[in-house]
Amino acid sequence: MKAEYSQFQAASRIKSRDQVHLTKIAKAIDTYDNAVAEMQSRQYVNWQKACTAAAEIKECALHDLASLLEEFEKNISGRGAKVLWAQNAHEARQHILSIINAHNARKVVKSKSMTTEEIGFNEFFEGQGIEVFETDLGELIVQLAGEKPYHIVTPAMHKSTSEIAQLFHKKFGIPISDNAEELTMAARAYLRNAYVTADVGVTGANFIIADEGAIVVTENEGNARLTISCPKVHIVLVGIEKIIPKLSQLSLFLPLLATIGTGQQITCYNSIIRGPKKSDEMDGPEEMYVILIDNGRSDIYRNSTFREALRCIRCGACLNTCPVYRTIGGHTYHTAYQGPIGSVITPHLCGFTQWNHLSFASSLCASCTQVCPVNIEIHRLLLENRWEAFKGKHIGITWKFSLAFWAFIASRRSRMNLLRKVVKPGLKVLTKLLPASKRKHIPEMSSKSFADIWSAYGQ
Amino acid sequence: MDSKAKILGNLRLPITDKLTNAISEIRDSHIYRDYPTADEDLLQIFKARLSSLHGELYIAESTAEAAAFIARIIESQKNKTCLIQNVPLTRRICNENKDLNKYLVQDLSMDSQLLAKYEMSVTVADYLIARTGSIFLNSISAGGRRLSILPPIHMVVAEKKQIVRSLEDVLTRINSQASYSTIITGPSRTADIEKQLVLGAHGPKRLIVVLLQNT
């Protein structure tokens, strides 16, 4: 068994029985659910229609991906930004490292970005002796705690106020407080100095706008705005799939993302960045670099079955609704992208050999598909992943044998009936002996099969 | 072959796979239930949205009233430090109250550490967006990127004619030469600690819009 799979199983076993953890997550997601439902009905004539419009735009953008990326590059380069291309995480890190070295930078402020998680930014650059400050409050909390983000939108969802109070007491020396405002102000004070003294600001991007030649960063706290305003260098690390054709389409996408991501009408700050400081401007970075990262995305792209996964706008809705995510929690996945969409794309981005088990981390209830604001059929893609794994021989011999056996039995009614007669009495005894029967109430098995009852009913 | 050529090469699809149906233009008026109708007062909608997000609105009947209000807010600060972006609209206001002139500043290229020491800033904006209660500004028109985010109080001076219905009106209208634009909707906020709302996470704790009614 692969190490990743064993780790996943072991962590799932612990987390799914941790009542404190389950209660915290249920409470956070309940708050989220209510806010989203209220905003959807208050703001939209028809939420589903807005989603369909967004899905169509993203689908069209994907079809013209290469030319839109070139259009973006041409437009933003014209204003002095430098566009760099990275085929994988290694190349992205090397691009960033050369920029940092060229500027003799020692201090980096970074606003929340999943692509930087994808390339292991913090570990790598801290290893190079660079001071990295996470500036989003949730990201700062997990960074100080020495953890990874629990959720792609709310990274510190798993931390209670008192846990954060203990952490800040230890790290900042402030008195222990159960007041969220006091804790936030301590983080504010800590990071203020970082913004104004950092050499480089690093961000991701929520959208790349082809016609405007701009990138868009959406946030609530103002940390991204400070990150792209104070330091002399701004580096953007963004996935190639984040492109939309037109600036005007933001009037659909910004409220859509805010509504489904956090239940807000629109987030507090939506920044449109078209390049570095211009000669007639008062401030802003003197240099801006946009690193367009592939890292397995073009493989997903070339496979027409999976291409729709690249529509994802990273809203986190499929994580929140997923019964598996809600039970095992975000850390158990051990991936940059958790939950259903993470389970779809991680095997493609990081390899089926190590990550195929995530394709099975789903009850196929399709709740993820139902909530997706860009209509990705996530549960179907999870099934497609399983099929992909089967074809690619990433499935063990036990599974193969079991599936072949099941195919043999299920393909003929008479074999089904025979199997039932043989297996059922054994199962009846077995369920009583299973350890699970001590924890759970297992209902008595009927002596008649559904088929028996059905045919009797028919007569 | 370099990385760009390799990546783009991987993204070129065979012609048969191209989408043929062109997408229809989607208008804000079709999507949003709360899209302001022709007979609704945009100022009232803007006010309601802004205050629901804990933003503040002061409606001034004249530049003199605006000047008095700004002076009062500066006075209420501990150190009474403020930077007022030096543009025609703010100059007109400051002319009404000579005490304000000392806060007018032309050169905003000062060091961030210095800029961060000011308690408040006053800038102008490009548009006010009624449906979402937002303010749209850019790095040329609003005195750079930092002035509207670094000081703990951000005051925006605007005129009633700058109010538009929805974000779409702004995005289809602008042809910005600035390196940076932002849509600001309320004071800086976070809910990262157990979903509890806290204002002033990293940006301004107070966002005050001073709207000149009769200009």
Side-chain angles (χ1 to χ4, degrees), chain A residues 187-203:
Chain A
R188 178 184 170 108
Y190 169 71
L191 286 173
R192 280 259 133 179
N193 185 49
Y195 296 121
V196 298
T197 55
D199 307 298
V200 173
V202 175
T203 70

Side-chain angles (χ1 to χ4, degrees), chain A residues 93 96-97 100 120-130 132:
Chain A
R93 288 190 296 262
I96 299 168
L97 186 61
I100 284 179
F121 187 99
N122 294 7
E123 298 83 342
F124 181 79
F125 288 99
E126 279 162 4
Q128 300 285 328
I130 310 285
V132 182

Side-chain angles (χ1 to χ4, degrees), chain B residues 94-111:
Chain B
C94 291
N95 274 339
E96 302 281 355
N97 184 339
K98 297 290 177 222
D99 288 347
L100 289 179
N101 276 321
K102 62 173 180 285
Y103 299 111
L104 278 173
V105 54
Q106 194 81 56
D107 183 10
L108 288 160
S109 60
M110 65 187 81
D111 190 82

Side-chain angles (χ1 to χ4, degrees), chain B residues 42-53:
Chain B
L42 295 184
L43 176 55
Q44 287 311 314
I45 297 172
F46 177 79
K47 186 182 178 180
R49 286 304 306 151
L50 183 69
S51 55
S52 76
L53 296 158

Side-chain angles (χ1 to χ4, degrees), chain A residues 312-325:
Chain A
C312 177
I313 55 172
R314 309 276 187 260
C315 69
C318 62
L319 283 64
N320 295 331
T321 198
C322 178
V324 175
Y325 179 90

Side-chain angles (χ1 to χ4, degrees), chain B residues 51 86 91 124 137 152 158 166 168:
Chain B
S51 55
N86 192 341
R91 276 200 297 273
V124 292
L137 54 80
S166 199
E168 173 189 73

